[in-house]
């Protein structure tokens, strides 16, 4: 059986600067981790919807107001690029997706 696996590549700039060092609070890192897991792999786009905010609250205990503050910080720190109302793109300078094709024996 031939399966395609996707992996997330974390770019480390100047030897020490990665996306995790751009987060000011653990809540930002949790939210950004959720965004990385749910973004569109082909173009890095992510839409902030009520359902996703509810999922983040249930998974990480982050209230909606905190999520909005963290989103502002993620944009300010350059991890997300604001494309429109509720639409963001993950900055490929820090992370990108690739694919690794593997054959798994039965």
């Amino acid at each position: 059986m031939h399966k395609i696996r996707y992996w997330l590549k974390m770019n480390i700039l100047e030897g020490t600067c990665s996306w995790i060092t751009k987060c000011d609070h653990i809540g930002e890192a949790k939210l950004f981790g959720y965004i990385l897991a749910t973004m569109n792999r082909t173009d890095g786009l992510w839409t902030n919807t009520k359902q996703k905010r509810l999922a983040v609250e249930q998974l990480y205990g982050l209230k909606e107001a905190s999520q909005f503050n963290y989103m502002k910080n993620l944009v300010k720190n350059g991890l997300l690029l604001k494309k429109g109302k509720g639409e963001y793109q993950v900055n490929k300078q820090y992370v990108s997706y690739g694919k690794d094709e593997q054959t798994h024996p039965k």
Side-chain angles (χ1 to χ4, degrees):
M1 174 178 261
H2 196 68
K3 292 185 179 181
I4 297 176
R5 296 184 312 168
Y6 289 92
W7 46 270
L8 183 69
K9 180 174 82 173
M10 178 169 52
N11 300 324
I12 300 175
L13 309 173
E14 299 173 6
T16 58
C17 183
S18 67
W19 73 263
I20 196 74
T21 61
K22 302 291 280 180
C23 295
D24 297 327
H25 188 276
I26 189 67
E28 286 176 41
K30 289 178 179 181
L31 178 58
F32 194 62
Y34 178 82
I35 291 169
L36 294 176
T38 58
M39 72 179 192
N40 183 322
R41 291 184 191 128
T42 57
D43 56 14
L45 291 176
W46 186 79
T47 305
N48 188 7
T49 65
K50 182 71 175 171
Q51 293 82 10
K52 289 177 183 174
R53 290 191 300 275
L54 181 60
V56 168
E57 184 171 353
Q58 290 174 344
L59 287 170
Y60 304 116
L62 301 176
K63 298 292 182 193
E64 194 169 290
S66 296
Q67 291 180 46
F68 282 116
N69 288 331
Y70 294 152
M71 291 293 294
K72 288 179 193 175
N73 287 342
L74 292 171
V75 171
K76 181 183 83 174
N77 292 335
L79 293 173
L80 291 178
L81 308 171
K82 189 160 178 72
K83 293 299 194 179
K85 185 175 180 178
E87 294 181 354
Y88 300 87
Q89 184 170 30
V90 172
N91 188 341
K92 291 181 182 181
Q93 182 177 4
Y94 296 100
V95 292
S96 58
Y97 261 101
K99 63 182 169 180
D100 179 25
E101 297 187 23
Q102 290 261 336
T103 303
H104 298 280
K106 287 188 173 188

